[in-house]
Amino acid sequence: MGEREQRVLEELDRIKKGGPPRGHEKQRAAGKLFVRDRLALFFDGGEPYTETGRFARSWDAELPADGVVTGTGQIGGRTIFFAANDYTVKAGSIGRYHGEKLIRTQQAAIRARKPILYLVDSSGARIDETGGHHVDKGSAGQLFYLHSIMSGAVPQIGVLYGTCFAGTAYTPVFCDLLVMMRDSAMAIASPRMVEMVIGQKVTPEELGGAEMHAKKSGSAHFVVDREEEAAALVKRILSYLPDHCDAAPPEAPPREPSRDPAEIDEIIPKDPNRPYDVRRLIEAIVDADSFLEVKAQYAAELVTGFARLNGKVIGVVANQPAVKGGTLFPESSDKGAEFVWLCDAYNIPLLYLVDTPGFMVGTAAEQNAILRRGRKFIFATSSATVPRVCVVVRKAYGAGIYAMSGPAYDPDITLALPSAEIAVMGPEAAVNAVYYNKIQSIQDPEERNRVVAKLREEYRAGYDIFKLAGEMVVDDLIPPRDLRKELVRYFEIYREKRIELPRRKARDDPLKRLMPGWECDRDVTLLIDSRGCAGEECSISAGPPGRDQRRASLHLSQIGATDRPFGGCPGPSRI
């Protein structure tokens, strides 16, 4: 071995050991793994596939790799990019080259069109190195810009370890899906800064702990107790997501559901006001052990999650009658919209299970923007171009069914079970609204009860599901035991779905920027299919108009190697 090669190997060995002993002691005291031991939990073979920027800041023995490990790793044979803070190096703080490594990794993930994993364990930016770098294009200032550009183009998954405030708290919330360790925390400012600025004394857990973000802010999708659990969860999450917005989600061998579909009719109570757990219904529909609930602790009146149906990935959006009667609140409207956007961005078909009395009413709901946030849910559903199937399970009152992909919102099929009820409002509210004066004029309580019962029955007869099926309000009324079988068929039928939406201004400019010197000789047509991004196809001519013209067809999907995924993928942050 030559002297030059020996020197490289010695430096690599030093770098792989991470920061000084005091950094390792601090990490152990916090009960956290050293970054390279952490990475071993995620990757095939227990180590990264490739590493970049290993010699960053190599002249400083205290700052090996400038405190971050970046590169690619393989999970189940799939290659992903990653960036993992090394807390043993200045508490994982972001310095000049640290930030540049993060940005280069993001740019590489965009070019390669691969998912990216962020393992966040950082105390924030190094104030002594910041200067103007927080706004510089080539430094940490561009980090969140690239997060936004990547949104909906390639999956971004984050795992948060420890407490992260200010700048490092943004990366987790920019991720499509975030896993928080139970003892971790994130906030826009530290408790000390909060006390200094507004005089409020608060603990990290109160300010931005995992439980708070899982239950109240909705910023955490999952909370786990152990690092091994986090790694296993990330692997499972990736099993539902494609590499990029033009790819189809991974498939798996089909499995029978864990609950017999013949039980569905018994799962749904005959009394429309009696609660039940919609997860039991989901278990009778999807493949066994395939349902992964997302944001389970937040706005629990709406259940969202990934599953497989006959081996193929779907997203499930289901009202939860066991919590607040399945009523849609402002928080559940946000939750539903964001999940629909996520599925639409990554070509995941959507199954809506409708059982809701509608949106919440009252001053509290209005002050919490139920109209605006409810509109957000309706907008997400309306603009989703993936296959959508709506199943009216039981109650479908008021505007609730709008957000839940009802017949007017262009689902590919609307199915109903015999327990379904579709109406402007429930019989109790309707009769009271229409016949209030008549009812109040009846003095005898028994007579009043008889009249109310009769009026309610008459109202119910108007929305009898057999009558509505006869009027083709729904496409089909099916026996509950056949629901899974019918869903498998319809999702297969619409698997190659392709629809055309109105052209939008934002989708015209990219072509001109990417192809300077070329001109469109006719209007751009927006083409969207269920397996790919939005793409623009137009006739173009080379050179100045009128000279050396030749016609060609261009799809943005053909230029995926560009630094920026212009015009594609209507991802979560694009709305």
Side-chain angles (χ1 to χ4, degrees), residues 379-512:
F379 181 85
T381 290
S382 302
S383 58
T385 62
V386 292
R388 286 187 279 128
V389 175
C390 172
V391 179
V392 184
V393 176
R394 198 173 54 166
K395 296 189 298 294
Y397 298 160
I401 194 172
Y402 296 172
M404 295 295 291
S405 197
Y409 288 79
D410 205 26
D412 298 296
I413 196 78
T414 301
L415 304 176
L417 300 182
S419 49
E421 298 182 348
I422 304 175
V424 174
M425 61 184 72
E428 295 84 2
V431 168
N432 184 65
V434 177
Y435 300 104
Y436 177 79
N437 291 333
K438 178 179 178 179
I439 293 169
Q440 293 303 310
S441 68
I442 302 173
Q443 299 301 316
D444 181 13
E446 291 186 6
E447 176 64 16
R448 182 187 300 169
N449 290 337
R450 281 195 294 271
V451 169
V452 168
K454 182 175 182 295
L455 290 171
R456 287 178 180 176
E457 284 305 311
E458 290 174 355
Y459 181 77
R460 279 196 178 94
Y463 63 74
D464 178 78
I465 193 59
F466 286 87
K467 178 177 181 291
L468 295 179
E471 295 172 348
M472 296 186 67
V473 172
V474 296
D475 295 303
D476 200 8
L477 174 60
I478 61 174
R481 66 176 59 241
D482 292 340
L483 180 56
R484 172 182 161 89
K485 179 178 65 177
E486 293 296 307
L487 290 173
V488 168
R489 289 173 175 174
Y490 280 112
F491 277 119
E492 184 61 34
I493 288 169
Y494 289 101
R495 193 177 180 192
E496 304 293 330
K497 174 182 176 181
R498 181 170 180 163
I499 66 172
E500 185 173 317
L501 294 182
R503 181 163 57 95
R504 298 182 183 183
K505 178 181 177 182
R507 301 187 188 278
D508 294 342
D509 295 335
L511 185 63
K512 298 171 185 176

Side-chain angles (χ1 to χ4, degrees), residues 72 81 106-115 154 243-244 560-562:
T72 65
F81 283 81
Q106 290 177 310
Q107 292 170 333
I110 292 172
R111 286 195 296 271
R113 311 189 82 189
K114 300 289 185 185
V154 297
D243 279 354
H244 53 79
T562 58

